């Protein structure tokens, strides 16, 4: 039904056109399209197309940066709409979220943070290029239940393990659950590095965070 919108959204990302992306995002809200549907069916497929074209050498870094700008422009409209969904909910848990050391990709991580907040989690977003020590120190400071680590590069995936090691070193691993994600990350990789879970997208990250909280609560009630 909204295919025309979704196709224009996808194209606005491929074209790296922030003004068009922002206008389309606003129009989709006015037309009653669910913000998550606009993101998942319109804008994110645009980012995937950009990644494919970059990999084939049909697009270059400045194009990819322009596409990221367009995505950010759309999110300035859709992010508050998503957050509104969660305003009346009770707090489910506390999540510390960031993109790992050496990696500056932030769009997927921001989306995960927004949806977690919309579903009742308190989220501390540490940004990009975050070291294991910083993740761990912040997890301690805010008494985090979950640490969510994003990595978009095959070269920075291994730093997800560094975060887990920092949590272990600081004696926090028993109380802090770890979830990992990002385009090159797989369930198998999550198991290999000793994470508690892997999520392929933002909605799965919410479902995973809920189940990790249930697991934490089950252990806590066994101990009391
Ligand atoms: Co970037 N880049 N990039 N990039 N980039 C990728 C990631 C490639 C796959 C493109 C390609 O070659 N096909 C590639 C990585 C190849 C590899 O390692 N396998 C790549 C490369 C090579 C690079 C540079 C090295 C390019 C260069 O400089 N020569 C450079 C690296 C800089 C650095 O980090 N040190 C670079 C730079 C950039 C920018 C700056 C131009 C820009 C980022 C801007 C920004 O974020 N502010 C960028 C972009 C936009 C991309 C692509 C096109 C899109 C990424 C994106 O936003 N996807 C990407 C291609 C792709 O991924 N297909 C390309 C959309 C979001 C919604 O998806 O997967 O990030 P997501 O997140 C999902 C999901 O994974 C999950 O939920 C999210 C929401 O649904 N999730 C989690 C994510 N984190 C989670 C954490 C959890 O706990 C749970 C779930």
């Amino acid at each position: 039904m909204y295919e025309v919108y979704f196709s224009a959204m996808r194209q606005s990302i491929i074209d790296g056109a922030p003004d068009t992306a922002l206008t389309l995002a606003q129009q989709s809200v006015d037309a009653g399209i669910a913000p998550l549907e606009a993101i998942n069916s319109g804008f994110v497929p645009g980012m995937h197309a950009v990644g494919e074209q970059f990999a084939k050498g049909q697009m270059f870094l400045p194009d990819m940066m322009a596409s990221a700008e367009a995505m950010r422009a759309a999110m300035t409209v859709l992010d508050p709409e998503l957050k509104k969904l969660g305003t009346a909910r009770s707090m489910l848990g506390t999540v510390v979220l960031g993109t790992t050391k050496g990696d500056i990709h932030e769009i997927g991580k921001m989306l995960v943070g927004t949806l977690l907040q919309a579903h009742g989690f308190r989220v501390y977003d540490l940004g990009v290029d975050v070291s294991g020590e910083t993740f761990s120190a912040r997890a301690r400071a805010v008494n985090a239940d979950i640490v969510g680590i994003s990595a978009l590069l095959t070269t920075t995936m291994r730093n997800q393990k560094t975060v887990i090691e920092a949590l272990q070193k600081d004696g926090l691993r028993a109380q802090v659950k770890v979830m990992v994600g990002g385009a090159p990350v797989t369930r198998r990789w999550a198991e290999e590095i000793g994470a508690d879970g892997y999520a392929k997208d933002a909605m799965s990250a919410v479902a995973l965070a809920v189940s990790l909280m249930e697991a934490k609560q089950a252990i806590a009630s066994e101990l009391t």
Side-chain angles (χ1 to χ4, degrees):
M1 178 181 173
Y2 297 121
E3 279 319 312
V4 177
Y5 270 116
F6 297 150
S7 155
M9 287 169 177
R10 181 177 178 276
Q11 196 59 45
S12 72
I13 298 296
I14 295 171
D15 294 343
D19 292 348
T20 312
L22 188 134
T23 304
L24 286 164
Q26 192 54 59
Q27 285 174 352
S28 74
V29 172
D30 297 343
I33 299 176
L36 192 57
E37 205 185 345
I39 292 169
N40 284 341
S41 305
F43 294 111
V44 167
M47 293 306 296
H48 288 151
V50 168
E52 278 161 28
Q53 292 184 21
F54 179 79
K56 288 184 198 151
Q58 294 165 349
M59 260 199 184
F60 302 98
L61 198 54
D63 306 313
M64 210 153 62
M65 288 171 90
S67 297
E69 263 322 301
M71 183 79 196
R72 259 204 295 265
M75 288 306 288
T76 60
V77 174
L78 298 174
D79 188 85
E81 294 299 318
L82 281 170
K83 282 181 180 151
K84 276 185 205 163
L85 301 173
T87 44
R89 289 169 203 254
S90 59
M91 261 320 141
L92 291 182
T94 300
V95 182
V96 163
L97 193 63
T99 302
T100 193
K101 186 88 192 143
D103 197 325
I104 61 166
H105 293 86
E106 64 182 347
I107 294 166
K109 180 238 343 138
M110 277 164 48
L111 203 46
V112 170
T114 299
L115 282 202
L116 284 171
Q117 266 179 282
H119 285 81
F121 285 87
R122 183 181 293 112
V123 176
Y124 293 90
D125 187 337
L126 307 188
V128 297
D129 190 21
V130 183
S131 70
E133 291 76 15
T134 303
F135 267 107
S136 183
R138 202 63 199 278
R140 184 189 291 285
V142 302
N143 196 16
D145 299 296
I146 300 172
V147 163
I149 321 162
S150 188
L152 267 286
L153 301 171
T154 39
T155 48
T156 58
M157 273 167 72
R158 67 180 75 121
N159 293 335
Q160 293 182 322
K161 189 169 181 214
T162 312
V163 179
I164 295 176
E165 286 165 356
L167 291 168
Q168 268 158 354
K169 184 165 158 271
D170 294 343
L172 294 175
R173 188 66 186 97
Q175 72 241 40
V176 178
K177 298 281 180 193
V178 174
M179 64 178 189
V180 291
V185 177
T186 59
R187 191 172 304 284
R188 190 159 164 208
W189 170 251
E191 284 166 10
E192 203 177 311
I193 62 172
D196 299 298
Y198 152 78
K200 71 171 185 352
D201 57 34
M203 267 323 284
S204 324
V206 172
L208 174 60
V210 169
S211 74
L212 292 175
M213 287 308 297
E214 284 166 0
K216 267 196 88 169
Q217 276 143 17
I219 293 168
S221 60
E222 266 171 33
L223 295 173
T224 51

